[in-house]
Amino acid sequence: DTAVSQTPKYLVTQMGNDKSIKCEQNLGHDTMYWYKQDSKKFLKIMFSYNNKELIINETVPNRFSPKSPDKAHLNLHINSLELGDSAVYFCASSQGPPSLAGGPYNEQFFGPGTRLTVL
Amino acid sequence: DAKTTQPTSMDCAEGRAANLPCNHSTISGNEYVYWYRQIHSQGPQYIIHGLKNNETNEMASLIITEDRKSSTLILPHATLRDTAVYYCIVTRRGGGNKLTFGTGTQLKVEL
């Protein structure tokens, strides 16, 4: 069974459209993330949710809206798509809440990625 | 989080040990060293992490210098499937579990 799954794997769409990418994890983790990897292969965190609550929002345009219906799902909705949104988007999850003190954080498990192409 | 410096690329013969260095001279006392790798077209994969002691697991060993300003990831018997980009990440406890990926080292394992 896939631990972290994303759909769709590929998404090709026109500028100005609205699209969603879905992510599900069956690991029982409390924390989920979205990362963006651009054409130069730089991988950057976008959002993090813990128990359906937003804990990291890394200066992402408000056209991007994550939605967590439950702690096993973190979907990414993108409004008014732009050419610069073309990238590979990775979902990830980790166990437990972010530790505020003491001990390392928990390792993150990544999904296979969704390649978004905006024409 | 401390900045890391890694070589852009490295080659390794299959069956040999691959030693991937990472400099993190500005690391602070509460920061851990993590290693992830990304095989082409896949999501990143956790390898190992450490604070100040050397660590070993089924995938690799992590050697951290005494002053903690650098570390080396060792893949003891590299295989073709270890060809990937390897990321050394330094991050503090807490901080929302945020991973800041650099450019990493492209390791190419050849016959």
Side-chain angles (χ1 to χ4, degrees), chain A residues 35-44 82-90 114-118, chain B residues 38 40-41 85 87 102-103 106:
Chain A
Y35 288 82
K36 177 182 179 181
Q37 188 166 39
D38 61 23
S39 57
K40 295 184 178 180
K41 303 296 185 183
F42 290 115
L43 191 61
K44 294 183 180 179
E82 301 177 357
L83 293 176
D85 297 332
S86 295
V88 181
Y89 292 83
F90 290 99
T114 295
R115 181 174 294 276
L116 171 65
T117 302
V118 182
Chain B
Q38 186 174 23
H40 182 62
S41 297
V85 178
Y87 297 98
T103 53
Q106 171 67 63

PDB file of all heavy atoms in Angstrom, chain A residues 35-44 82-90 114-118, chain B residues 38 40-41 85 87 102-103 106:
ATOM      1  N   TYR A  35       5.180  20.851  -0.721  1.00  0.00           N
ATOM      2  CA  TYR A  35       6.422  21.416  -1.223  1.00  0.00           C
ATOM      3  C   TYR A  35       6.269  21.668  -2.721  1.00  0.00           C
ATOM      4  O   TYR A  35       5.536  20.958  -3.411  1.00  0.00           O
ATOM      5  CB  TYR A  35       7.595  20.449  -1.028  1.00  0.00           C
ATOM      6  CG  TYR A  35       8.068  20.286   0.390  1.00  0.00           C
ATOM      7  CD1 TYR A  35       7.421  19.429   1.278  1.00  0.00           C
ATOM      8  CD2 TYR A  35       9.189  20.966   0.856  1.00  0.00           C
ATOM      9  CE1 TYR A  35       7.862  19.271   2.576  1.00  0.00           C
ATOM     10  CE2 TYR A  35       9.647  20.804   2.161  1.00  0.00           C
ATOM     11  CZ  TYR A  35       8.970  19.960   3.004  1.00  0.00           C
ATOM     12  OH  TYR A  35       9.415  19.801   4.294  1.00  0.00           O
ATOM     13  N   LYS A  36       7.026  22.646  -3.212  1.00  0.00           N
ATOM     14  CA  LYS A  36       7.067  22.939  -4.640  1.00  0.00           C
ATOM     15  C   LYS A  36       8.496  22.786  -5.133  1.00  0.00           C
ATOM     16  O   LYS A  36       9.432  23.328  -4.523  1.00  0.00           O
ATOM     17  CB  LYS A  36       6.581  24.368  -4.904  1.00  0.00           C
ATOM     18  CG  LYS A  36       6.647  24.797  -6.359  1.00  0.00           C
ATOM     19  CD  LYS A  36       6.192  26.245  -6.520  1.00  0.00           C
ATOM     20  CE  LYS A  36       6.273  26.696  -7.976  1.00  0.00           C
ATOM     21  NZ  LYS A  36       5.855  28.119  -8.129  1.00  0.00           N
ATOM     22  N   GLN A  37       8.673  22.054  -6.237  1.00  0.00           N
ATOM     23  CA  GLN A  37       9.997  21.923  -6.862  1.00  0.00           C
ATOM     24  C   GLN A  37       9.928  22.523  -8.242  1.00  0.00           C
ATOM     25  O   GLN A  37       9.224  22.015  -9.118  1.00  0.00           O
ATOM     26  CB  GLN A  37      10.441  20.467  -6.929  1.00  0.00           C
ATOM     27  CG  GLN A  37      11.883  20.304  -7.388  1.00  0.00           C
ATOM     28  CD  GLN A  37      12.417  18.906  -7.129  1.00  0.00           C
ATOM     29  OE1 GLN A  37      11.720  17.920  -7.298  1.00  0.00           O
ATOM     30  NE2 GLN A  37      13.676  18.815  -6.707  1.00  0.00           N
ATOM     31  N   ASP A  38      10.671  23.609  -8.438  1.00  0.00           N
ATOM     32  CA  ASP A  38      10.590  24.329  -9.714  1.00  0.00           C
ATOM     33  C   ASP A  38      11.488  23.693 -10.771  1.00  0.00           C
ATOM     34  O   ASP A  38      12.115  22.666 -10.540  1.00  0.00           O
ATOM     35  CB  ASP A  38      10.924  25.810  -9.507  1.00  0.00           C
ATOM     36  CG  ASP A  38      12.333  26.024  -8.984  1.00  0.00           C
ATOM     37  OD1 ASP A  38      13.194  25.142  -9.176  1.00  0.00           O
ATOM     38  OD2 ASP A  38      12.577  27.067  -8.361  1.00  0.00           O
ATOM     39  N   SER A  39      11.548  24.357 -11.913  1.00  0.00           N
ATOM     40  CA  SER A  39      12.283  23.787 -13.053  1.00  0.00           C
ATOM     41  C   SER A  39      13.783  23.686 -12.792  1.00  0.00           C
ATOM     42  O   SER A  39      14.480  22.895 -13.418  1.00  0.00           O
ATOM     43  CB  SER A  39      12.046  24.631 -14.302  1.00  0.00           C
ATOM     44  OG  SER A  39      12.431  25.965 -14.054  1.00  0.00           O
ATOM     45  N   LYS A  40      14.280  24.491 -11.856  1.00  0.00           N
ATOM     46  CA  LYS A  40      15.699  24.426 -11.504  1.00  0.00           C
ATOM     47  C   LYS A  40      15.951  23.431 -10.378  1.00  0.00           C
ATOM     48  O   LYS A  40      17.042  23.369  -9.832  1.00  0.00           O
ATOM     49  CB  LYS A  40      16.212  25.805 -11.109  1.00  0.00           C
ATOM     50  CG  LYS A  40      16.186  26.791 -12.260  1.00  0.00           C
ATOM     51  CD  LYS A  40      16.784  28.124 -11.869  1.00  0.00           C
ATOM     52  CE  LYS A  40      16.789  29.075 -13.059  1.00  0.00           C
ATOM     53  NZ  LYS A  40      17.367  30.395 -12.717  1.00  0.00           N
ATOM     54  N   LYS A  41      14.917  22.687 -10.026  1.00  0.00           N
ATOM     55  CA  LYS A  41      15.005  21.609  -9.046  1.00  0.00           C
ATOM     56  C   LYS A  41      15.100  22.081  -7.595  1.00  0.00           C
ATOM     57  O   LYS A  41      15.386  21.280  -6.716  1.00  0.00           O
ATOM     58  CB  LYS A  41      16.177  20.662  -9.335  1.00  0.00           C
ATOM     59  CG  LYS A  41      16.117  20.045 -10.714  1.00  0.00           C
ATOM     60  CD  LYS A  41      14.914  19.155 -10.871  1.00  0.00           C
ATOM     61  CE  LYS A  41      14.927  18.446 -12.212  1.00  0.00           C
ATOM     62  NZ  LYS A  41      13.717  17.612 -12.408  1.00  0.00           N
ATOM     63  N   PHE A  42      14.855  23.388  -7.364  1.00  0.00           N
ATOM     64  CA  PHE A  42      14.842  23.840  -5.979  1.00  0.00           C
ATOM     65  C   PHE A  42      13.548  23.396  -5.320  1.00  0.00           C
ATOM     66  O   PHE A  42      12.459  23.615  -5.852  1.00  0.00           O
ATOM     67  CB  PHE A  42      14.970  25.359  -5.897  1.00  0.00           C
ATOM     68  CG  PHE A  42      16.322  25.855  -6.278  1.00  0.00           C
ATOM     69  CD1 PHE A  42      16.505  26.643  -7.399  1.00  0.00           C
ATOM     70  CD2 PHE A  42      17.428  25.531  -5.507  1.00  0.00           C
ATOM     71  CE1 PHE A  42      17.758  27.096  -7.747  1.00  0.00           C
ATOM     72  CE2 PHE A  42      18.695  25.979  -5.851  1.00  0.00           C
ATOM     73  CZ  PHE A  42      18.854  26.761  -6.982  1.00  0.00           C
ATOM     74  N   LEU A  43      13.660  22.787  -4.154  1.00  0.00           N
ATOM     75  CA  LEU A  43      12.515  22.240  -3.438  1.00  0.00           C
ATOM     76  C   LEU A  43      12.236  23.120  -2.229  1.00  0.00           C
ATOM     77  O   LEU A  43      13.089  23.267  -1.351  1.00  0.00           O
ATOM     78  CB  LEU A  43      12.851  20.810  -2.999  1.00  0.00           C
ATOM     79  CG  LEU A  43      11.736  19.928  -2.453  1.00  0.00           C
ATOM     80  CD1 LEU A  43      10.657  19.713  -3.482  1.00  0.00           C
ATOM     81  CD2 LEU A  43      12.316  18.599  -2.021  1.00  0.00           C
ATOM     82  N   LYS A  44      11.038  23.704  -2.190  1.00  0.00           N
ATOM     83  CA  LYS A  44      10.700  24.640  -1.120  1.00  0.00           C
ATOM     84  C   LYS A  44       9.384  24.280  -0.469  1.00  0.00           C
ATOM     85  O   LYS A  44       8.432  23.910  -1.153  1.00  0.00           O
ATOM     86  CB  LYS A  44      10.602  26.066  -1.672  1.00  0.00           C
ATOM     87  CG  LYS A  44      11.899  26.633  -2.177  1.00  0.00           C
ATOM     88  CD  LYS A  44      11.726  28.072  -2.628  1.00  0.00           C
ATOM     89  CE  LYS A  44      13.038  28.642  -3.139  1.00  0.00           C
ATOM     90  NZ  LYS A  44      12.879  30.036  -3.605  1.00  0.00           N
ATOM     91  N   GLU A  82      -1.042  30.533 -13.113  1.00  0.00           N
ATOM     92  CA  GLU A  82      -0.087  31.324 -13.892  1.00  0.00           C
ATOM     93  C   GLU A  82       1.010  30.416 -14.417  1.00  0.00           C
ATOM     94  O   GLU A  82       1.237  29.319 -13.897  1.00  0.00           O
ATOM     95  CB  GLU A  82       0.514  32.420 -13.006  1.00  0.00           C
ATOM     96  CG  GLU A  82      -0.515  33.372 -12.419  1.00  0.00           C
ATOM     97  CD  GLU A  82       0.109  34.401 -11.488  1.00  0.00           C
ATOM     98  OE1 GLU A  82       1.340  34.338 -11.258  1.00  0.00           O
ATOM     99  OE2 GLU A  82      -0.633  35.276 -11.002  1.00  0.00           O
ATOM    100  N   LEU A  83       1.708  30.922 -15.451  1.00  0.00           N
ATOM    101  CA  LEU A  83       2.788  30.133 -16.045  1.00  0.00           C
ATOM    102  C   LEU A  83       3.823  29.723 -14.991  1.00  0.00           C
ATOM    103  O   LEU A  83       4.340  28.610 -15.008  1.00  0.00           O
ATOM    104  CB  LEU A  83       3.477  30.932 -17.159  1.00  0.00           C
ATOM    105  CG  LEU A  83       2.640  31.227 -18.409  1.00  0.00           C
ATOM    106  CD1 LEU A  83       3.439  32.102 -19.366  1.00  0.00           C
ATOM    107  CD2 LEU A  83       2.207  29.934 -19.089  1.00  0.00           C
ATOM    108  N   GLY A  84       4.096  30.629 -14.065  1.00  0.00           N
ATOM    109  CA  GLY A  84       5.106  30.365 -13.040  1.00  0.00           C
ATOM    110  C   GLY A  84       4.709  29.320 -12.021  1.00  0.00           C
ATOM    111  O   GLY A  84       5.528  28.901 -11.198  1.00  0.00           O
ATOM    112  N   ASP A  85       3.465  28.885 -12.080  1.00  0.00           N
ATOM    113  CA  ASP A  85       3.030  27.835 -11.165  1.00  0.00           C
ATOM    114  C   ASP A  85       3.447  26.455 -11.665  1.00  0.00           C
ATOM    115  O   ASP A  85       3.311  25.469 -10.928  1.00  0.00           O
ATOM    116  CB  ASP A  85       1.509  27.873 -10.996  1.00  0.00           C
ATOM    117  CG  ASP A  85       1.012  29.167 -10.378  1.00  0.00           C
ATOM    118  OD1 ASP A  85       1.786  29.785  -9.604  1.00  0.00           O
ATOM    119  OD2 ASP A  85      -0.127  29.575 -10.674  1.00  0.00           O
ATOM    120  N   SER A  86       3.931  26.389 -12.895  1.00  0.00           N
ATOM    121  CA  SER A  86       4.385  25.116 -13.438  1.00  0.00           C
ATOM    122  C   SER A  86       5.537  24.591 -12.593  1.00  0.00           C
ATOM    123  O   SER A  86       6.540  25.288 -12.400  1.00  0.00           O
ATOM    124  CB  SER A  86       4.849  25.280 -14.889  1.00  0.00           C
ATOM    125  OG  SER A  86       3.765  25.633 -15.720  1.00  0.00           O
ATOM    126  N   ALA A  87       5.377  23.391 -12.091  1.00  0.00           N
ATOM    127  CA  ALA A  87       6.360  22.809 -11.179  1.00  0.00           C
ATOM    128  C   ALA A  87       5.900  21.405 -10.817  1.00  0.00           C
ATOM    129  O   ALA A  87       4.818  20.973 -11.218  1.00  0.00           O
ATOM    130  CB  ALA A  87       6.482  23.654  -9.906  1.00  0.00           C
ATOM    131  N   VAL A  88       6.734  20.728 -10.021  1.00  0.00           N
ATOM    132  CA  VAL A  88       6.304  19.473  -9.420  1.00  0.00           C
ATOM    133  C   VAL A  88       5.955  19.761  -7.972  1.00  0.00           C
ATOM    134  O   VAL A  88       6.745  20.369  -7.241  1.00  0.00           O
ATOM    135  CB  VAL A  88       7.388  18.391  -9.498  1.00  0.00           C
ATOM    136  CG1 VAL A  88       6.877  17.091  -8.866  1.00  0.00           C
ATOM    137  CG2 VAL A  88       7.804  18.148 -10.948  1.00  0.00           C
ATOM    138  N   TYR A  89       4.786  19.348  -7.549  1.00  0.00           N
ATOM    139  CA  TYR A  89       4.310  19.584  -6.186  1.00  0.00           C
ATOM    140  C   TYR A  89       4.343  18.260  -5.420  1.00  0.00           C
ATOM    141  O   TYR A  89       3.804  17.257  -5.871  1.00  0.00           O
ATOM    142  CB  TYR A  89       2.899  20.169  -6.202  1.00  0.00           C
ATOM    143  CG  TYR A  89       2.871  21.571  -6.775  1.00  0.00           C
ATOM    144  CD1 TYR A  89       2.821  21.779  -8.148  1.00  0.00           C
ATOM    145  CD2 TYR A  89       2.938  22.683  -5.943  1.00  0.00           C
ATOM    146  CE1 TYR A  89       2.827  23.066  -8.684  1.00  0.00           C
ATOM    147  CE2 TYR A  89       2.940  23.966  -6.458  1.00  0.00           C
ATOM    148  CZ  TYR A  89       2.895  24.148  -7.831  1.00  0.00           C
ATOM    149  OH  TYR A  89       2.917  25.424  -8.349  1.00  0.00           O
ATOM    150  N   PHE A  90       5.000  18.309  -4.278  1.00  0.00           N
ATOM    151  CA  PHE A  90       5.122  17.118  -3.441  1.00  0.00           C
ATOM    152  C   PHE A  90       4.364  17.310  -2.140  1.00  0.00           C
ATOM    153  O   PHE A  90       4.496  18.347  -1.474  1.00  0.00           O
ATOM    154  CB  PHE A  90       6.580  16.822  -3.102  1.00  0.00           C
ATOM    155  CG  PHE A  90       7.398  16.345  -4.253  1.00  0.00           C
ATOM    156  CD1 PHE A  90       8.231  17.214  -4.946  1.00  0.00           C
ATOM    157  CD2 PHE A  90       7.360  15.011  -4.649  1.00  0.00           C
ATOM    158  CE1 PHE A  90       8.994  16.773  -6.001  1.00  0.00           C
ATOM    159  CE2 PHE A  90       8.121  14.554  -5.711  1.00  0.00           C
ATOM    160  CZ  PHE A  90       8.944  15.444  -6.397  1.00  0.00           C
ATOM    161  N   THR A 114       3.241  15.607  -8.117  1.00  0.00           N
ATOM    162  CA  THR A 114       2.284  15.945  -9.186  1.00  0.00           C
ATOM    163  C   THR A 114       2.948  16.977 -10.075  1.00  0.00           C
ATOM    164  O   THR A 114       3.332  18.054  -9.600  1.00  0.00           O
ATOM    165  CB  THR A 114       0.992  16.529  -8.610  1.00  0.00           C
ATOM    166  OG1 THR A 114       0.311  15.538  -7.837  1.00  0.00           O
ATOM    167  CG2 THR A 114       0.065  17.015  -9.736  1.00  0.00           C
ATOM    168  N   ARG A 115       3.123  16.628 -11.334  1.00  0.00           N
ATOM    169  CA  ARG A 115       3.745  17.575 -12.270  1.00  0.00           C
ATOM    170  C   ARG A 115       2.660  18.438 -12.883  1.00  0.00           C
ATOM    171  O   ARG A 115       1.812  17.949 -13.627  1.00  0.00           O
ATOM    172  CB  ARG A 115       4.520  16.839 -13.359  1.00  0.00           C
ATOM    173  CG  ARG A 115       5.215  17.789 -14.341  1.00  0.00           C
ATOM    174  CD  ARG A 115       6.090  17.050 -15.324  1.00  0.00           C
ATOM    175  NE  ARG A 115       7.226  16.410 -14.669  1.00  0.00           N
ATOM    176  CZ  ARG A 115       8.365  17.016 -14.373  1.00  0.00           C
ATOM    177  NH1 ARG A 115       8.527  18.293 -14.669  1.00  0.00           N
ATOM    178  NH2 ARG A 115       9.344  16.351 -13.809  1.00  0.00           N
ATOM    179  N   LEU A 116       2.693  19.716 -12.543  1.00  0.00           N
ATOM    180  CA  LEU A 116       1.710  20.682 -13.050  1.00  0.00           C
ATOM    181  C   LEU A 116       2.339  21.492 -14.177  1.00  0.00           C
ATOM    182  O   LEU A 116       3.410  22.077 -14.004  1.00  0.00           O
ATOM    183  CB  LEU A 116       1.259  21.617 -11.929  1.00  0.00           C
ATOM    184  CG  LEU A 116       0.402  22.817 -12.344  1.00  0.00           C
ATOM    185  CD1 LEU A 116      -0.944  22.356 -12.914  1.00  0.00           C
ATOM    186  CD2 LEU A 116       0.183  23.753 -11.154  1.00  0.00           C
ATOM    187  N   THR A 117       1.675  21.513 -15.313  1.00  0.00           N
ATOM    188  CA  THR A 117       2.125  22.307 -16.449  1.00  0.00           C
ATOM    189  C   THR A 117       1.028  23.290 -16.810  1.00  0.00           C
ATOM    190  O   THR A 117      -0.107  22.886 -17.093  1.00  0.00           O
ATOM    191  CB  THR A 117       2.441  21.416 -17.665  1.00  0.00           C
ATOM    192  OG1 THR A 117       3.441  20.460 -17.293  1.00  0.00           O
ATOM    193  CG2 THR A 117       2.951  22.262 -18.831  1.00  0.00           C
ATOM    194  N   VAL A 118       1.368  24.571 -16.767  1.00  0.00           N
ATOM    195  CA  VAL A 118       0.406  25.625 -17.099  1.00  0.00           C
ATOM    196  C   VAL A 118       0.780  26.193 -18.462  1.00  0.00           C
ATOM    197  O   VAL A 118       1.923  26.647 -18.654  1.00  0.00           O
ATOM    198  CB  VAL A 118       0.389  26.727 -16.031  1.00  0.00           C
ATOM    199  CG1 VAL A 118      -0.650  27.790 -16.384  1.00  0.00           C
ATOM    200  CG2 VAL A 118       0.111  26.137 -14.660  1.00  0.00           C
TER     201      VAL A 118
ATOM    202  N   GLN B  38      16.887  12.269  -3.281  1.00  0.00           N
ATOM    203  CA  GLN B  38      15.812  12.297  -4.250  1.00  0.00           C
ATOM    204  C   GLN B  38      16.278  11.575  -5.503  1.00  0.00           C
ATOM    205  O   GLN B  38      17.149  12.084  -6.229  1.00  0.00           O
ATOM    206  CB  GLN B  38      15.377  13.727  -4.576  1.00  0.00           C
ATOM    207  CG  GLN B  38      14.146  13.787  -5.475  1.00  0.00           C
ATOM    208  CD  GLN B  38      13.625  15.187  -5.684  1.00  0.00           C
ATOM    209  OE1 GLN B  38      14.345  16.173  -5.533  1.00  0.00           O
ATOM    210  NE2 GLN B  38      12.341  15.295  -6.030  1.00  0.00           N
ATOM    211  N   HIS B  40      15.677  10.316  -9.214  1.00  0.00           N
ATOM    212  CA  HIS B  40      15.046  11.015 -10.330  1.00  0.00           C
ATOM    213  C   HIS B  40      13.544  10.759 -10.417  1.00  0.00           C
ATOM    214  O   HIS B  40      13.099   9.618 -10.409  1.00  0.00           O
ATOM    215  CB  HIS B  40      15.722  10.607 -11.637  1.00  0.00           C
ATOM    216  CG  HIS B  40      15.169  11.303 -12.830  1.00  0.00           C
ATOM    217  ND1 HIS B  40      15.229  12.675 -12.987  1.00  0.00           N
ATOM    218  CD2 HIS B  40      14.508  10.835 -13.911  1.00  0.00           C
ATOM    219  CE1 HIS B  40      14.663  13.000 -14.130  1.00  0.00           C
ATOM    220  NE2 HIS B  40      14.212  11.909 -14.708  1.00  0.00           N
ATOM    221  N   SER B  41      12.780  11.877 -10.469  1.00  0.00           N
ATOM    222  CA  SER B  41      11.328  11.832 -10.665  1.00  0.00           C
ATOM    223  C   SER B  41      10.560  11.245  -9.487  1.00  0.00           C
ATOM    224  O   SER B  41       9.389  10.905  -9.629  1.00  0.00           O
ATOM    225  CB  SER B  41      10.962  11.054 -11.932  1.00  0.00           C
ATOM    226  OG  SER B  41      11.489  11.700 -13.059  1.00  0.00           O
ATOM    227  N   VAL B  85      20.089  12.678  -6.040  1.00  0.00           N
ATOM    228  CA  VAL B  85      20.570  13.925  -5.447  1.00  0.00           C
ATOM    229  C   VAL B  85      20.453  13.780  -3.934  1.00  0.00           C
ATOM    230  O   VAL B  85      19.383  13.424  -3.422  1.00  0.00           O
ATOM    231  CB  VAL B  85      19.758  15.138  -5.919  1.00  0.00           C
ATOM    232  CG1 VAL B  85      20.265  16.415  -5.235  1.00  0.00           C
ATOM    233  CG2 VAL B  85      19.848  15.284  -7.438  1.00  0.00           C
ATOM    234  N   TYR B  87      20.702  15.483  -0.231  1.00  0.00           N
ATOM    235  CA  TYR B  87      20.564  16.777   0.431  1.00  0.00           C
ATOM    236  C   TYR B  87      20.981  16.684   1.891  1.00  0.00           C
ATOM    237  O   TYR B  87      20.492  15.815   2.629  1.00  0.00           O
ATOM    238  CB  TYR B  87      19.110  17.254   0.388  1.00  0.00           C
ATOM    239  CG  TYR B  87      18.562  17.505  -0.991  1.00  0.00           C
ATOM    240  CD1 TYR B  87      17.790  16.548  -1.647  1.00  0.00           C
ATOM    241  CD2 TYR B  87      18.793  18.712  -1.639  1.00  0.00           C
ATOM    242  CE1 TYR B  87      17.272  16.786  -2.899  1.00  0.00           C
ATOM    243  CE2 TYR B  87      18.273  18.962  -2.901  1.00  0.00           C
ATOM    244  CZ  TYR B  87      17.509  17.989  -3.523  1.00  0.00           C
ATOM    245  OH  TYR B  87      16.998  18.235  -4.775  1.00  0.00           O
ATOM    246  N   GLY B 102      18.703  22.579  -0.010  1.00  0.00           N
ATOM    247  CA  GLY B 102      19.654  23.324  -0.837  1.00  0.00           C
ATOM    248  C   GLY B 102      19.716  22.699  -2.215  1.00  0.00           C
ATOM    249  O   GLY B 102      18.731  22.123  -2.688  1.00  0.00           O
ATOM    250  N   THR B 103      20.870  22.816  -2.839  1.00  0.00           N
ATOM    251  CA  THR B 103      21.027  22.272  -4.188  1.00  0.00           C
ATOM    252  C   THR B 103      21.478  20.815  -4.175  1.00  0.00           C
ATOM    253  O   THR B 103      21.334  20.111  -5.159  1.00  0.00           O
ATOM    254  CB  THR B 103      22.026  23.095  -5.002  1.00  0.00           C
ATOM    255  OG1 THR B 103      23.243  23.190  -4.259  1.00  0.00           O
ATOM    256  CG2 THR B 103      21.481  24.490  -5.268  1.00  0.00           C
ATOM    257  N   GLN B 106      24.629  15.674  -6.611  1.00  0.00           N
ATOM    258  CA  GLN B 106      24.192  14.639  -7.551  1.00  0.00           C
ATOM    259  C   GLN B 106      25.226  13.514  -7.504  1.00  0.00           C
ATOM    260  O   GLN B 106      26.367  13.687  -7.951  1.00  0.00           O
ATOM    261  CB  GLN B 106      24.079  15.189  -8.965  1.00  0.00           C
ATOM    262  CG  GLN B 106      23.831  14.106 -10.016  1.00  0.00           C
ATOM    263  CD  GLN B 106      22.481  13.439  -9.876  1.00  0.00           C
ATOM    264  OE1 GLN B 106      21.436  14.076 -10.019  1.00  0.00           O
ATOM    265  NE2 GLN B 106      22.471  12.137  -9.609  1.00  0.00           N
TER     266      GLN B 106
END
